[in-house]
Amino acid sequence: MSENCLFCKIGTGAIPSQKIFENEKVFGFVDIHPQAKTHLLFVHKTHTSNINDMSKDSTAIAEVFQAIAEYTKDKDLSTDGFRVVTNLGPNAGQTVFHTHFHVVGGEPLGHFGRR
Ligand code: 5GP
Ligand code: ZN
């Protein structure tokens, strides 16, 4: 738990969210400004600021991807497909500095690339 971190507070429930997944290590919730029909955020409960910071903890990275697999399994998402995105720093437009993985889908997505 990092003080004044939005996603740490969402993790504890201090700030409300529409949680769609939770286990001991990871939680997932609906993005407040969805960029596609389905737009979820998966977050490890251990605070790190971005994916490079998180790379020190390979177990945590695995736990997030296992959570995504568990959540999407047996849903249309897994058959239709989805995209996982994580932003680091200003060029990528990172706005929340607790590592998070966008899970985007529910409809065909445009090709990923430059604006
Ligand atoms: P980033 O831009 O850092 O990659 O992603 C941050 C994401 O968090 C954005 O897509 C934004 O819409 C979402 N977000 C920011 N504040 C809140 C909030 O209070 N609740 C929820 N559910 N999502 C949020
Ligand atoms: Zn945090």
Side-chain angles (χ1 to χ4, degrees), residues 5 9 12 23-25 30 49 53 57 62 65 87 114:
C5 171
K9 287 179 183 165
T12 63
N23 66 22
E24 202 190 321
K25 302 290 178 68
V30 177
S49 56
D53 185 21
D57 187 354
F65 280 87
N87 294 316
R114 276 185 172 160

Side-chain angles (χ1 to χ4, degrees), residues 1 14 26 29 31 43 52 55 59 65 75 80 86 89 92 110 112:
M1 175 85 186
V26 177
F29 56 102
D31 194 292
V43 175
N52 281 0
S55 71
T59 303
F65 280 87
K75 290 190 174 61
D80 295 344
T86 185
F112 181 79

Side-chain angles (χ1 to χ4, degrees), residues 1-6 8-9 45 47-48 97-98:
M1 175 85 186
S2 177
E3 255 179 72
N4 298 322
C5 171
L6 176 63
C8 282
K9 287 179 183 165
K45 291 182 182 178
H47 179 93
T48 56
F97 296 89
H98 180 136

Side-chain angles (χ1 to χ4, degrees), residues 3 7-10 18 32 36 62 66 71 77 81 90 111 114:
E3 255 179 72
F7 287 175
C8 282
K9 287 179 183 165
I10 285 179
Q18 205 179 319
I32 206 165
Q66 284 156 5
Y71 176 77
L77 273 175
H111 191 272
R114 276 185 172 160

Side-chain angles (χ1 to χ4, degrees), residues 63-103:
E63 285 165 348
V64 171
F65 280 87
Q66 284 156 5
I68 292 170
E70 188 181 326
Y71 176 77
T72 56
K73 168 171 67 83
D74 304 328
K75 290 190 174 61
D76 287 346
L77 273 175
S78 65
T79 45
D80 295 344
F82 59 92
R83 181 173 292 155
V84 179
V85 173
T86 185
N87 294 316
L88 184 157
N91 273 359
Q94 183 179 6
T95 58
V96 177
F97 296 89
H98 180 136
T99 314
H100 51 281
F101 297 82
H102 299 257
V103 169

